Amino acid sequence: MKQPGFFDVEERLARLSGLGDQLEAFSRTVDFEVFRPDLELALAYSDGSKGGRPPFDPVLMFKILVIQTLNNLSDERTEYLINDRLSFMRFLGLGLSDRVPDAKTVWLF
């Protein structure tokens, strides 16, 4: 087994792109930011003055619902696969060290 390198993740993502990552193509085709005003209006998040953990980005959560629908996933399986799959992380704009919504957060959304 070789020692991990600085560019291993980028090389793996490039390989996924070369193999035809459907989520990457979907992300290039659909501008998810168009949905932001409607999502923010519908969710009506508080201003944070009462404290607590800040909510996840509404567009991120919407994209999670897209992944669930395309793959027919439960909330628990969605949480696992977001943590497991680089293609899911890339589609959602998450890095390896970013916080991932848990199954209960997905369910509540």
Side-chain angles (χ1 to χ4, degrees), residues 4-40:
F6 289 116
F7 303 105
D8 288 348
V9 173
E10 288 83 6
E11 289 171 5
R12 181 64 57 96
L13 288 171
R15 177 137 171 87
L16 288 172
S17 296
L19 293 171
D21 183 359
Q22 292 176 347
L23 287 176
E24 184 181 31
F26 196 56
S27 194
R28 281 193 312 264
T29 306
V30 178
D31 179 17
F32 286 97
E33 286 299 318
V34 170
F35 300 104
R36 182 175 297 281
D38 292 329
L39 289 168
E40 288 177 347

Side-chain angles (χ1 to χ4, degrees), residues 8-103:
D8 288 348
V9 173
E10 288 83 6
E11 289 171 5
R12 181 64 57 96
L13 288 171
R15 177 137 171 87
L16 288 172
S17 296
L19 293 171
D21 183 359
Q22 292 176 347
L23 287 176
E24 184 181 31
F26 196 56
S27 194
R28 281 193 312 264
T29 306
V30 178
D31 179 17
F32 286 97
E33 286 299 318
V34 170
F35 300 104
R36 182 175 297 281
D38 292 329
L39 289 168
E40 288 177 347
L41 183 65
L43 294 170
Y45 287 144
S46 72
D47 62 359
S49 62
K50 293 184 180 179
R53 182 175 288 200
F56 283 98
D57 180 63
V59 174
L60 168 79
M61 297 303 295
F62 180 66
K63 288 168 107 177
I64 289 173
L65 295 182
V66 170
I67 287 175
Q68 272 191 304
T69 303
L70 290 174
N71 296 284
N72 196 27
L73 300 172
S74 69
D75 298 332
E76 290 79 14
R77 190 72 179 154
T78 301
E79 177 188 358
Y80 174 80
L81 289 175
I82 291 170
N83 282 292
D84 185 57
R85 290 191 178 174
L86 288 175
S87 60
F88 282 15
M89 284 188 256
R90 174 170 57 185
F91 177 69
L92 297 172
L94 297 174
L96 292 174
S97 61
D98 289 333
R99 220 169 40 113
V100 173
D102 62 5

